[in-house]
Amino acid sequence: MPSYAIEGVIPVVDPTAYVHPSAVLIGDVQVGPGCYVGPCASLRGDFGRIVLHEGANIQDGCVMHGFPGHDTVVEVNGHIGHGAVLHSCIVRRDAMVGMNAVVMDDAEIGVQAIVAACAFVPAGMVVPARMLVAGMPAKLRRELSPEEIAWKLEGTRTYQDLARRCHACLREVQPLTALDAGRPALRALQVEPLIALRRKEGVQS
């Protein structure tokens, strides 16, 4: 992947992590074991430190950056959806930031909390553990159910598995000009969207 030192500080990537070749890592970036960093993600450790703890995922198009002297951290099993922006904030263990959400300076997303897609978490906001926040600006909505927390963890495990799959077999190729006979199905772990879980809960209730 494009990886750049600045002032002698070089990014560190654990051998079991997978960083897509189109992602960019600059300076004081630390990517822990089993992490996944998706295509076109930008992790800029040219001011403050960027840290991904074990099993975290940063999906395609995400941006992580921060002010000098301020770390931007995603803790163990943190899950950052497509296109999200994290700036000088911390995402605690097993928490999730949804697609295209923005988490601003000195904000903290609590353990097992979820930030909804497209939410704007303002500077300094502290999201309690196991809470859902949504909106622009983000507001506390409700406590998450055990089923929703389990759903989030299941989704995170699919990205940990994806890191292993990418190490094993992802390679650059030329596209085919027509469908090949006997085209194989992908062997990804099965996980349903959250709306499917809610529909099932509605049927049960």
Side-chain angles (χ1 to χ4, degrees):
M1 83 292 298
S3 185
Y4 302 91
I6 185 168
E7 296 169 353
V9 180
I10 301 172
V12 177
V13 178
D14 187 275
T16 63
Y18 179 79
V19 180
H20 190 272
S22 65
V24 177
L25 277 54
I26 300 173
D28 197 356
V29 176
Q30 302 171 14
V31 179
C35 290
Y36 174 86
V37 178
C40 300
S42 175
L43 282 64
R44 280 183 50 207
D46 46 15
F47 289 169
R49 178 178 294 132
I50 306 296
V51 181
L52 304 184
H53 289 194
E54 182 175 1
N57 69 78
I58 306 295
Q59 297 171 22
D60 20 341
C62 290
V63 175
M64 292 184 69
H65 193 240
F67 285 113
H70 292 252
D71 294 353
T72 305
V73 179
V74 180
E75 291 189 344
V76 173
N77 291 340
H79 189 111
I80 311 302
H82 316 291
V85 177
L86 307 181
H87 202 274
S88 293
C89 60
I90 184 163
V91 177
R92 294 292 184 193
R93 174 179 55 82
D94 288 311
M96 174 177 170
V97 175
M99 292 182 274
N100 289 312
V102 175
V103 184
M104 289 297 295
D105 311 305
D106 294 330
E108 179 178 330
I109 310 305
V111 171
Q112 297 181 325
I114 293 180
V115 176
C118 297
F120 178 82
V121 179
M125 182 176 186
V126 176
V127 178
R130 296 175 292 281
M131 291 295 292
L132 171 69
V133 295
M136 301 179 66
K139 297 185 185 307
L140 296 178
R141 301 297 181 176
R142 58 176 174 82
E143 188 170 2
L144 293 163
S145 69
E147 291 78 14
E148 288 170 320
I149 292 170
W151 169 85
K152 180 270 164 196
L153 182 57
E154 184 180 8
T156 300
R157 286 174 175 155
T158 67
Y159 273 91
Q160 294 165 351
D161 182 64
L162 180 58
R164 293 186 289 268
R165 291 169 61 210
C166 289
H167 272 301
C169 63
L170 187 72
R171 60 191 177 91
E172 188 170 2
V173 296
Q174 291 296 315
L176 302 173
T177 57
L179 283 175
D180 45 340
R183 188 174 181 85
L186 292 172
R187 297 187 298 273
L189 297 178
Q190 295 301 306
V191 61
E192 293 184 305
L194 186 56
I195 187 64
L197 173 64
R198 290 176 177 158
R199 285 172 178 157
K200 286 178 182 177
E201 290 177 338
V203 170
Q204 290 170 355
S205 61

